[in-house]
Amino acid sequence: MTVVGVTATSTMVQKYQSPVRVYKHPFELVMAAYERRFPTCHLIPMFVASDVVEEETSEDGSTNRVERRCALDVDAPRLLKRIAGVDYVYFIQKNTLDRKERTLHIESHNETFSNRVIISETCCYSAHPENDDWTCFEQNASLDIKSFFGFESTVEKIAMKQYASSIKKGKEIIEFYLKELEDEGITHVPRWTPPLLPVSLPKQTSLLSSSTALPKQAAVPAVSIPLATDAMDITFQDVQQDSGTLQADSLSEILPGSSEDKLDADYIKRYLGDLTPLQESCLIRLRKWLQETHKGKIPKDQHILRFLRARDFNMDKAREILCQSLTWRKQHQVDYLLETWSSPQVLQDYYTGGWHHHDRDGRPLYVLRLGQMDTKGLVRALGEESLLRHVLSINEEGLRRCEENTKVFGRPISCWTCLVDLEGLNMRHLWRPGVKALLRIIEVVEANYPETLGRLLILRAPRVFPVLWTLVSPFIDENTRKKFLIYAGNDYQGPGGLVDYIDKEIIPDFLAGECMCEVPEGGLVPKSMYRTAEELDNEGVRLWTETIYQSASVFKGAPHELLIEIIDASSVITWDFDMCKGDVVFNIFHSKRTPQPPRKDPLAPHGIASPVGNNVQLIDKSWTLGQDYSMVESSLTCREGESVQGSHITRWPGFYILQWKFHNMPACSATNLPRVDDVLATLQVSSHKCKVMFYTEVLGSEDFRMACWDVQSLGSMTSLESSHSGFSQLSAATTASSQSQSSSLISR
């Protein structure tokens, strides 16, 4: 028997990805400024020395490779340095300058304590793709702390702090040397041109005479306290686009979305606001993950940023709630709400809320006269679902107005202000079904519209308000509660009141202002308009059941299967599904035999009862693959959080079976034993259950050719944009893309 021992080590991994920074200077001039940072740079006190270890130049002089060993004096507690036994941290930096292609690639990694901490960084300078006289800069880095004498958390904090400060200083450094060049009369550096005569430049390995001697350092294991290689290579600059080749206004037209898009620093500043380097990195990495798993329909950057802010830029937590929200929007067609929802007349007459200009910060202003609203009458006349749908349409309209105001005011506006007047609030408003409807609305809005409320002004709060507040406050996020300002009586009219947040000229007339506010005055809803529960159900307006998508559970040993009968050959089976939980393998089979009536799994593995109609098996266990039924597409592994669309052109009539099967972890090929990482991942799953939400449709071949722009051959899965599954409100303009999977194409 072989016993495998695993040593437990603590691991902390941090990653950084920069947006595209643009210098409004030619590449060659930026390179001249960059070279002045060596061998030392007084603008980077921690960068104490550097030696050229090796240098190599191509025969025609177009390519130059330089390897440097750099010493950094890390700003860390003396005690930590004594424990580590080092005074300086050493990094290896490899630069490859391609004068012909006008690029500089930089790779850096730590030499000190490399067995305990791994720091890697890559940077790239290149000519701007749309303006040859500008230079772009991109960078990514990672910090992996495996162990550090029990000070892993301290080292991580020191590293991230110094890394962030170095990023900010990078802009100043290049600008300083560009100004220095200008003062010396150097405003132009000619581009590289091929030599007229053959020139033989021998390869050279040397130490520059101008190098500053590195401090002597005893050989020690290796430290990576700072992700501070950035002090050597970070040269970000927020560019102010002018009327030249690329105009700032055009950024409102260029909405990022395709996998080829890269976020520009000016776009971030203009449309998303001032973000720290690490916040920018979180946005870019989450956006990239969405591009890879939700191709063709990722949310707009403003919406992604809201979810990151709601979880304090914890990318894993933000990704989880964002994926849940995207699935909810897709399942209930929320993106089409503004186009399809028409408020019933009773809402137009008795719902006392509406949009009213904007506040002093340019945020859209929504006014709600809750005290004048007959919540009981509205619930009895419309039901919870219509009220919820109406509130969702208000939030969708709010998102649209934020985008408009961002363009109008020339600065990022991502949330709105809500003014709630409680005059008239009484015990009638505490009617239990009404409070229940309110709590449900708050729950849905909190989950799907985070960080959209910039400020809530509650005016003329009566004595009964504390009772209502006690009921609803537990359902409101703590960050949202901090945005509440509550005024009793006429306190809102004094100093620190309404005029601090809203211009005097637009204060509504019912609050002693001068502006007419076109919000219904409300009043009691006539009882003749009340509806019975049966009448409301029969109208079929329930938000939670009105969906073209179905959901199914997949268990280990119990796949979910869907039967599709094809009468005419060359028909097209299309699908669109989201992996809500777990990983599955997706298969398509053809059978000439008629499957038995759907067999519902009465008892799923582990004794968990399968929900009725939620798990169906069609393929009989006595059937043999290749005889009774055949696979018509290669298997496709679908991971949790992925969105998959595709199609299959049928060759034969008969029965086709779509199957979602539980994905088992692969075993180690050498030993047939599961891998350690897979076992650990399996232990974290509480049950062997996956959940998928799907929509399928069969099209005639002619209809398919009209809907799909590219069908290369029979039996291929081709990216198919479904009119039912786009994100019209939250999606940016995206380019449909496909991903090769064996002989198939799949859009995720």
Side-chain angles (χ1 to χ4, degrees):
M1 177 181 295
T2 302
V3 179
V4 179
V6 179
T7 302
T9 59
S10 62
T11 300
M12 296 183 178
V13 180
Q14 292 283 356
K15 294 183 179 181
Y16 173 78
Q17 174 69 55
S18 77
V20 178
R21 309 288 181 177
V22 180
Y23 289 95
K24 295 173 67 175
H25 300 278
F27 174 79
E28 290 73 20
L29 192 61
V30 172
M31 290 299 97
Y34 174 79
E35 285 300 323
R36 295 201 169 197
R37 300 167 61 179
F38 300 100
T40 59
C41 178
H42 69 278
L43 297 175
I44 315 175
M46 73 167 64
F47 184 28
V48 295
S50 67
D51 276 349
V52 173
V53 177
E54 183 177 355
E55 183 170 5
E56 179 182 345
T57 304
S58 63
E59 292 186 359
D60 62 358
S62 63
T63 305
N64 178 253
R65 297 182 179 87
V66 180
E67 179 176 333
R68 292 184 177 92
R69 188 169 185 256
C70 308
L72 301 180
D73 184 6
V74 178
D75 183 15
R78 178 171 294 184
L79 175 61
L80 184 59
K81 287 187 176 182
R82 291 184 62 182
I83 293 175
V86 298
D87 292 321
Y88 300 101
V89 179
Y90 291 85
F91 283 84
I92 300 298
Q93 182 194 67
K94 298 179 181 180
N95 292 5
T96 302
L97 173 63
D98 190 329
R99 297 183 176 92
K100 181 179 179 180
E101 298 296 331
R102 305 179 76 200
T103 61
L104 173 65
H105 291 280
I106 305 168
E107 296 181 1
S108 303
H109 66 272
N110 63 302
E111 180 184 79
T112 311
F113 284 107
S114 58
N115 61 329
R116 295 180 177 273
V117 183
I118 300 174
I119 299 176
S120 62
E121 181 183 54
T122 60
C123 307
C124 178
Y125 290 89
S126 60
H128 195 290
E130 297 181 34
N131 189 330
D132 283 345
D133 292 330
W134 291 357
T135 304
C136 295
F137 175 80
E138 295 181 75
Q139 172 193 24
N140 62 73
S142 65
L143 165 67
D144 185 359
I145 303 178
K146 299 183 179 299
S147 64
F148 201 83
F149 311 110
F151 291 92
E152 292 81 11
S153 180
T154 302
V155 171
E156 180 189 32
K157 290 178 181 178
I158 294 173
M160 300 311 295
K161 179 181 178 181
Q162 294 198 0
Y163 195 64
S165 63
S166 299
I167 291 173
K168 294 179 181 178
K169 203 161 189 176
K171 171 186 174 182
E172 302 174 10
I173 296 169
I174 289 295
E175 289 293 338
F176 174 84
Y177 288 117
L178 285 169
K179 181 65 167 57
E180 188 175 81
L181 287 169
E182 182 181 355
D183 293 342
E184 296 173 7
I186 303 175
T187 58
H188 175 73
V189 177
R191 297 186 186 181
W192 178 87
T193 55
L196 297 178
L197 297 175
V199 177
S200 178
L201 294 177
K203 293 183 180 180
Q204 44 186 308
T205 301
S206 65
L207 291 178
L208 293 185
S209 58
S210 61
S211 297
T212 300
L214 290 174
K216 293 183 178 180
Q217 178 69 45
V220 289
V223 83
S224 73
I225 299 177
L227 273 173
T229 44
D230 188 56
M232 297 180 284
D233 297 316
I234 296 181
T235 58
F236 294 6
Q237 178 182 3
D238 292 333
V239 60
Q240 300 291 330
Q241 306 285 6
D242 57 16
S243 58
T245 304
L246 185 64
Q247 297 182 359
D249 290 344
S250 68
L251 291 174
S252 61
E253 303 291 334
I254 306 171
L255 295 176
S258 75
S259 59
E260 300 301 322
D261 289 332
K262 294 182 179 179
L263 286 185
D264 181 89
D266 179 67
Y267 167 82
I268 291 177
K269 186 174 182 179
R270 168 65 177 83
Y271 289 92
L272 305 180
D274 292 322
L275 303 179
T276 69
L278 297 182
Q279 289 173 345
E280 288 177 337
S281 175
C282 287
L283 172 62
I284 293 169
R285 289 162 54 207
L286 180 53
R287 183 176 180 271
K288 182 179 179 181
W289 181 86
L290 288 169
Q291 287 171 338
E292 294 172 350
T293 59
H294 292 72
K295 287 187 176 179
K297 50 180 185 176
I298 69 169
K300 293 180 181 177
D301 300 314
Q302 294 89 337
H303 201 62
I304 299 175
L305 189 57
R306 289 186 180 103
F307 283 85
L308 283 168
R309 283 176 171 149
R311 290 298 179 266
D312 295 324
F313 286 88
N314 182 310
M315 202 177 81
D316 292 334
K317 293 180 179 179
R319 177 171 54 193
E320 179 181 359
I321 61 173
L322 176 56
C323 287
Q324 291 173 355
S325 179
L326 293 179
T327 299
W328 171 82
R329 295 185 68 87
K330 182 176 180 179
Q331 183 175 6
H332 303 296
Q333 303 292 285
V334 178
D335 291 302
Y336 304 103
L337 198 57
L338 292 180
E339 304 169 10
T340 59
W341 169 249
S342 179
S343 299
Q345 190 61 44
V346 65
L347 276 175
Q348 298 178 31
D349 294 339
Y350 295 98
Y351 189 88
T352 55
W355 294 99
H356 180 74
H357 300 282
H358 56 80
D359 68 5
R360 288 183 178 271
D361 296 321
R363 297 166 174 165
L365 176 63
Y366 190 82
V367 175
L368 179 64
R369 303 187 66 181
L370 185 59
Q372 304 300 314
M373 186 184 297
D374 180 10
T375 53
K376 178 178 180 179
L378 289 174
V379 172
R380 292 291 301 272
L382 295 169
E384 289 184 34
E385 299 297 332
S386 289
L387 274 179
L388 175 57
R389 191 179 293 261
H390 182 64
V391 172
L392 294 182
S393 71
I394 293 171
N395 281 270
E396 292 295 303
E397 174 66 16
L399 295 177
R400 188 189 67 79
R401 286 176 179 260
C402 285
E403 290 185 18
E404 286 186 356
N405 287 17
T406 295
K407 299 175 184 178
V408 171
F409 292 98
R411 60 178 181 272
I413 295 174
S414 61
C415 54
W416 52 84
T417 293
C418 186
L419 187 156
V420 180
D421 179 23
L422 295 183
E423 184 182 51
L425 190 76
N426 53 46
M427 294 303 295
R428 178 183 177 85
H429 292 87
L430 300 181
W431 179 59
R432 184 176 178 83
V435 173
K436 177 185 174 184
L438 176 62
L439 295 180
R440 183 187 178 197
I441 290 171
I442 291 174
E443 182 181 11
V444 173
V445 171
E446 281 285 308
N448 298 285
Y449 300 92
E451 297 298 315
T452 53
L453 181 65
R455 184 179 295 116
L456 180 64
L457 303 171
I458 299 177
L459 310 183
R460 303 197 280 193
R463 291 183 178 180
V464 73
F465 173 72
V467 180
L468 181 61
W469 177 249
T470 301
L471 293 173
V472 302
S473 60
F475 295 87
I476 302 174
D477 181 75
E478 182 179 356
N479 289 333
T480 303
R481 290 202 300 267
K482 293 178 181 178
K483 302 171 184 177
F484 285 30
L485 296 173
I486 303 173
Y487 299 90
N490 294 324
D491 291 348
Y492 70 92
Q493 296 178 347
L498 205 54
V499 291
D500 283 12
Y501 307 102
I502 301 174
D503 289 333
K504 184 178 180 181
E505 294 76 17
I506 65 169
I507 293 179
D509 53 336
F510 61 85
L511 293 174
E514 302 174 358
C515 186
M516 292 296 296
C517 184
E518 297 181 0
V519 173
E521 295 187 0
L524 296 177
V525 177
K527 291 186 178 181
S528 59
M529 303 182 72
Y530 285 9
R531 313 287 293 281
T532 64
E534 291 76 12
E535 289 175 328
L536 293 173
D537 287 339
N538 292 336
E539 285 187 352
V541 297
R542 300 191 64 80
L543 183 67
W544 302 110
T545 58
E546 184 181 285
T547 172
I548 61 174
Y549 290 86
Q550 303 177 57
S551 62
S553 295
V554 178
F555 300 90
K556 190 172 184 179
H560 178 72
E561 294 165 345
L562 179 70
L563 179 65
I564 297 177
E565 184 176 5
I566 298 297
I567 305 299
D568 299 323
S570 298
S571 296
V572 181
I573 303 172
T574 68
W575 56 84
D576 181 349
F577 63 88
D578 289 330
M579 289 308 306
C580 304
K581 178 183 178 182
D583 302 340
V584 301
V585 177
F586 179 63
N587 294 306
I588 309 175
F589 301 101
H590 173 263
S591 172
K592 295 181 180 179
R593 297 180 56 178
T594 305
Q596 295 298 318
R599 173 170 54 88
K600 299 173 183 176
D601 187 28
L603 191 65
H606 312 293
I608 302 175
S610 174
V612 176
N614 204 30
N615 181 269
V616 176
Q617 288 108 61
L618 299 167
I619 299 176
D620 194 277
K621 292 183 178 180
S622 63
W623 285 15
T624 302
L625 182 63
Q627 296 181 6
D628 301 295
Y629 67 109
S630 59
M631 182 179 293
V632 296
E633 289 285 354
S634 299
S635 298
L636 179 70
T637 301
C638 307
R639 304 293 182 182
E640 181 174 330
E642 289 186 345
S643 179
V644 182
Q645 302 86 38
S647 61
H648 172 80
I649 304 178
T650 61
R651 294 182 180 223
W652 317 279
F655 299 96
Y656 286 79
I657 299 173
L658 305 188
Q659 181 191 73
W660 291 269
K661 183 180 179 182
F662 188 92
H663 175 58
N664 292 305
M665 295 294 181
C668 177
S669 57
T671 64
N672 253 356
L673 293 173
R675 297 177 298 183
V676 173
D677 290 344
D678 296 334
V679 172
L680 294 176
T682 303
L683 293 175
Q684 295 176 355
V685 181
S686 58
S687 64
H688 296 287
K689 177 181 177 181
C690 303
K691 186 175 181 181
V692 60
M693 186 181 74
F694 64 91
Y695 166 78
T696 62
E697 186 178 6
V698 177
L699 302 175
S701 57
E702 292 297 324
D703 294 334
F704 177 74
R705 276 192 282 270
M706 294 175 62
C708 184
W709 61 87
D710 180 26
V711 178
Q712 296 180 351
S713 61
L714 292 178
S716 69
M717 297 184 189
T718 306
S719 174
L720 178 66
E721 288 294 324
S722 170
S723 60
H724 300 292
S725 61
F727 286 85
S728 63
Q729 295 297 322
L730 290 181
S731 296
T734 57
T735 303
S737 55
S738 302
Q739 186 179 49
S740 176
Q741 175 71 22
S742 301
S743 63
S744 304
L745 292 175
I746 193 74
S747 173
R748 294 184 178 223

